[in-house]
Amino acid sequence: NGVLSGNATTTVVAPPLGSNTQTFGLTCSKEGVVDSAQCTVQVGKPAIVLVANPKSVPRGETTNIGWVTGGMESCKIESPTHSNFTDENAGNTNVSGVAKSPAITQESEFVLKCVTKAGAEKSATIKVQVE
């Protein structure tokens, strides 16, 4: 914008295909003399860590389902095995947290479905066994 100093903020929706970096440039000119500079920024890769503690329980016991993510805008914890668990956690969109499972009477699956800050969908699945 013709100013001699300042700053700019941008959101990298997605780095160029096949890369995890984005390059930005600055060009200045005065009285016909042009100079430019570039910098490259590494874009963080979205990540999900989903755990069950414990991962194996006696029949009828519960477990804790925990998650930590990076680069996510929102997440939802669900269970195709336990619809009541999905319903109870429907309003929880935290990108990290812990949820208590219902009583486990059979092998149970829990899925964390997230939306990245760039709008992509990522998910992780964990199974809890009955001892």
Side-chain angles (χ1 to χ4, degrees), residues 27-113:
T27 302
C28 298
S29 64
K30 182 178 180 181
E31 298 174 0
V33 178
V34 178
D35 198 6
S36 63
Q38 290 185 339
C39 70
T40 300
V41 177
Q42 184 171 2
V43 179
K45 182 178 178 181
I48 298 174
V49 176
L50 178 63
V51 297
N53 186 20
K55 197 170 179 178
S56 180
V57 298
R59 185 174 305 280
E61 294 294 316
T62 62
T63 187
N64 290 308
I65 308 298
W67 64 96
V68 178
T69 67
M72 300 300 172
E73 187 68 31
S74 66
C75 297
K76 284 194 174 191
I77 188 72
E78 301 176 353
S79 175
T81 316
H82 302 277
S83 60
N84 59 332
F85 176 85
T86 300
D87 294 343
E88 289 170 8
N89 289 283
N92 180 0
T93 60
N94 293 330
V95 295
S96 64
V98 176
K100 188 173 195 90
S101 77
I104 305 292
T105 58
Q106 64 185 17
E107 180 182 87
S108 299
E109 186 174 278
F110 298 89
V111 181
L112 185 69
K113 295 180 180 179

